[in-house]
Amino acid sequence: MALAADTPRVYEMGDINELTVDTGVTIYEGAFVFAKKADGTAVVASPAISTHAFAGIAIERATAGNRVRIKDRGKVVMAVTGASAASVGAIVYASADDTLTLTASTNVPVGYVSRHVTSTTCIVEFRATAERDTAVA
């Protein structure tokens, strides 16, 4: 049905999101944060990382039961295991809350190499929807 009148909406500004931190978890600023698919709480990488969805990068420290603020899209300078100048455009996966790789395995996709800087250091364009975007790739 088409609108016939103004309909004010509630918007969130920018690329900041918040999730409740899971029991027993501390998330540090700069950590790659994941949402548990079972209940949506925020966690950092664990051996069962493939059961989590990438949510973004923590912009502040948060502890269990509190809300963590995360940047859910953007570009970040990071070392990426296996990256080289030929890696531009390659999908980037997280294997831990501070470790990125080009190896899919059971790791979670977080974005892609936007630019190679030097050695394995790259500009990684990340976004919380990377898992959905790369699932068919």
Side-chain angles (χ1 to χ4, degrees):
M1 178 166 158
L3 288 177
D6 293 338
T7 305
R9 311 270 187 216
V10 176
Y11 298 97
E12 289 194 2
M13 298 300 292
D15 53 7
I16 304 298
N17 196 3
E18 291 184 353
L19 295 173
T20 301
V21 180
D22 197 27
T23 304
V25 174
T26 296
I27 296 176
Y28 294 97
E29 179 180 347
F32 280 69
V33 178
F34 304 88
K36 287 173 58 177
K37 292 180 183 177
D39 63 11
T41 57
V43 295
V44 290
S46 68
I49 191 169
S50 62
T51 63
H52 307 327
F54 175 61
I57 299 174
I59 57 175
E60 61 189 16
R61 181 191 299 200
T63 55
N66 294 301
R67 296 185 68 77
V68 62
R69 289 174 36 108
I70 54 176
K71 185 166 179 67
D72 63 13
R73 67 176 177 246
K75 293 182 179 178
V76 64
V77 178
M78 290 286 296
V80 179
T81 303
S84 68
S87 300
V88 173
I91 297 171
V92 175
Y93 302 86
S95 61
D97 64 353
D98 67 342
T99 307
L100 301 180
T101 180
L102 296 180
T103 303
S105 184
T106 59
N107 300 319
V108 176
V110 297
Y112 68 93
V113 175
S114 176
R115 183 172 74 230
H116 177 258
V117 177
T118 182
S119 184
T120 59
T121 301
C122 300
I123 306 297
V124 175
E125 186 159 338
F126 67 93
R127 60 181 224 204
T129 58
E131 180 177 16
R132 290 189 299 268
D133 294 343
T134 58
V136 294

